[in-house]
Amino acid sequence: MPAWLHYAPAKGWMNDPNGLIHWKGRHHLFYQYNPEGTDFTNQHWGHASSPDLLTWTEHEVALLPGPQETAPYDATACFSGCAVEHDGGVSILYTGVLGDAQLPCLARAADDGLSGFVKDPANPLVPAPPADNITEFRDHSVWREDGLWRQLVAGARRDHGGSVFALSSPDLRTWDYDGVFVDRAGSKVPGAVWECPDYFAVEGTGALLISVIHEDGEEGPAVWWMTGTTSGADFEVRKTGVADVGDRFYAPQSYWTSDGRRIQFGWIRTHQDPTGLGGKAVGAMTLPRELSVRHGRLHCEPAAELTRLRLASTPIPVTGTADLDGRRTAGELVLHATAADGVRAVALRSLDGAEMAIDLAAFAGLDGPLRLFWDAGIVEVFRGGVAGTWSDLRITEVAQLRLDGDTDAAGGRAEVWELARPERLTGPAAGHHAI
């Protein structure tokens, strides 16, 4: 059953969000996409857009590999990248892949609808990794600062592991290598390889998110944040933390909206869920999240727009079992502060008895209410600036909730919100319903 709330293409494989930008009144979401199958290969850039972060239009593919004759540098795949406003339009920087070679490339939007991109004749912009000990070099975060374009590329160095590299340019086309921005030793963040850097700054504090490929035999959180100060090409890390306490979140990217918010999407790795491999589409995007930096720490909460989906609420017991009125594909459970402090876990049960249990230990003692969204087997939890993402795609509809708690929850309140189903369109000429 397709998700109601989370964006996914009608068919094919989807992974990393790419090129996120708010442009001409619309939120544009590009993503790694295989339109011809449900496996990780043949990476194009898929495209969806929305006026409100709720109603999404699926457009035609925006960036294609090759062709070999004119664009051999990305004939294998077009990997992840970012979008920037530039000279009255939108440009993207992405990783072109030819066999084992992965190098930075530039393309320009063909129109204000961002329906496609024209590849730059100077590609690849950097003909080889800029230092001999760089063993991995891909994915891009770009911003404008002090009259220059700044770029971060993630990867790894021999004997140093996960690293992020800094480059600068006057024009987006000619890039100078400025050195290592931050690495595993300087941050204490793990990883044999780092991917998908996402950097932004707020009132003098820089925030960097990276996705981690662990050393063989190691396990741990997949996405980390760092905050600190930037001086030239160096990032002095002050604090670090885990960006999502669940087990499905990867490769997040964020962007500024016209009202000054930093909105984030991440890839939900549903292919790690056995049930997630049998449908027409594999992979989903998270709900839109708002990021900020508070007391030197990354703070994440659901985008404000999501409250517009609320229709009616029903109070439920703060501990024990609650039968829902009818089977619900999607909903929102809210545990107000006292209840959130006392509820240790929530189980979602389908009509056929399949059960998905969410341990809430990571949210204990945080401020404010706990909000748990479920959507056709995808669960996202938020409290006090912390987020978590899980999936069990057997739970296509929820018939019952069980709240496991103690006496601390007794004086609290719990309620379930019925949520409206946002409209989903297919394009590029919006108007044909996809699901």
Side-chain angles (χ1 to χ4, degrees):
M1 176 180 291
W4 281 28
L5 309 181
H6 293 80
Y7 176 79
K11 65 181 182 67
W13 165 280
M14 177 174 70
N15 57 291
D16 307 0
N18 296 154
L20 305 185
I21 193 168
H22 192 218
W23 177 251
K24 302 294 185 181
R26 294 188 72 86
H27 302 269
H28 289 270
L29 167 64
F30 299 92
Y31 47 89
Q32 292 285 277
Y33 182 49
N34 176 9
E36 298 172 1
T38 54
D39 52 353
F40 175 71
T41 188
N42 188 35
Q43 260 55 45
H44 295 50
W45 275 34
H47 180 205
S49 70
S50 172
D52 57 8
L53 292 174
L54 301 175
T55 301
W56 289 95
T57 297
E58 182 178 350
H59 300 289
E60 293 180 348
V61 170
L63 185 68
L64 291 75
Q68 180 75 42
E69 296 76 19
T70 58
Y73 48 82
D74 67 7
T76 301
C78 297
F79 272 7
S80 297
C82 62
V84 294
E85 182 177 348
H86 176 229
D87 287 347
V90 172
S91 293
I92 61 168
L93 288 100
Y94 69 98
T95 297
V97 181
L98 177 62
D100 293 333
Q102 301 179 4
L103 296 170
C105 297
L106 177 68
R108 179 80 171 170
D111 52 50
D112 279 342
L114 313 188
S115 64
F117 294 94
V118 179
K119 298 174 184 179
D120 196 285
N123 288 338
L125 305 179
V126 179
D132 290 341
N133 67 343
I134 295 177
T135 56
E136 303 281 352
F137 189 70
R138 60 177 174 271
D139 308 333
H140 313 269
S141 182
V142 177
W143 70 99
R144 186 79 171 166
E145 181 182 279
D146 298 332
L148 287 174
W149 291 101
R150 303 285 185 179
Q151 177 176 191
L152 301 181
V153 180
R157 291 180 296 153
R158 191 176 300 110
D159 300 324
H160 292 275
S163 304
V164 170
F165 310 102
L167 300 92
S168 58
S169 170
D171 59 6
L172 282 183
R173 299 177 85 236
T174 304
W175 292 91
D176 294 322
Y177 177 54
D178 298 324
V180 176
F181 188 68
V182 66
D183 63 9
R184 184 173 63 184
S187 64
K188 309 304 182 187
V189 171
V193 179
W194 289 354
E195 299 187 298
C196 304
D198 184 41
Y199 178 86
F200 65 99
V202 180
E203 297 179 351
T205 298
L208 173 66
L209 291 97
I210 55 96
S211 296
V212 169
I213 298 176
H214 288 283
E215 300 277 3
D216 289 344
E218 290 186 350
E219 296 182 355
V223 185
W224 290 71
W225 58 261
M226 314 169 206
T227 58
T229 56
T230 303
S231 176
D234 296 321
F235 187 50
E236 183 180 347
V237 176
R238 301 289 177 82
K239 294 183 179 180
T240 65
V242 175
D244 187 285
V245 298
D247 60 8
R248 292 289 187 263
F249 184 74
Y250 200 74
Q253 189 175 110
S254 62
Y255 63 106
W256 295 111
T257 62
S258 59
D259 60 6
R261 293 179 297 158
R262 189 78 180 184
I263 298 294
Q264 180 195 70
F265 286 91
W267 169 35
I268 301 176
R269 298 181 290 184
T270 60
H271 67 286
Q272 295 184 343
D273 182 335
T275 309
L277 296 175
K280 293 181 179 179
V282 172
M285 287 294 131
T286 61
L287 298 174
R289 303 175 174 189
E290 294 184 22
L291 300 183
S292 57
V293 177
R294 302 185 185 182
H295 308 294
R297 302 183 63 84
L298 189 75
H299 184 97
C300 176
E301 59 188 339
E305 285 85 348
L306 292 170
T307 59
R308 299 179 193 169
L309 298 175
R310 289 176 170 178
L311 296 176
S313 68
T314 303
I316 64 171
V318 294
T319 58
T321 298
D323 293 320
L324 300 185
D325 183 15
R327 297 171 297 171
R328 301 197 184 182
T329 300
E332 180 187 356
L333 168 67
V334 179
L335 303 179
H336 295 272
T338 301
D341 286 338
V343 176
R344 297 184 299 271
V346 173
L348 296 80
R349 185 174 294 165
S350 67
L351 198 62
D352 63 5
E355 186 172 289
M356 177 185 186
I358 305 298
D359 186 343
L360 300 180
F363 304 93
L366 301 179
D367 293 334
L370 181 144
R371 299 173 67 185
L372 182 153
F373 295 86
W374 78 84
D375 181 25
I378 296 171
V379 171
E380 292 188 62
V381 179
F382 302 88
R383 189 187 187 199
V386 174
T389 308
W390 295 266
S391 77
D392 184 338
L393 300 185
R394 299 174 304 156
I395 315 294
T396 57
E397 295 176 318
V398 175
Q400 190 178 77
L401 294 174
R402 189 183 72 245
L403 279 61
D404 297 329
D406 52 36
T407 54
D408 291 342
R413 289 191 299 127
E415 60 185 329
V416 171
W417 284 93
E418 180 185 357
L419 301 179
R421 184 174 189 170
E423 194 172 28
R424 181 69 53 80
L425 305 172
T426 186
H432 303 289
H433 290 268
I435 58 174

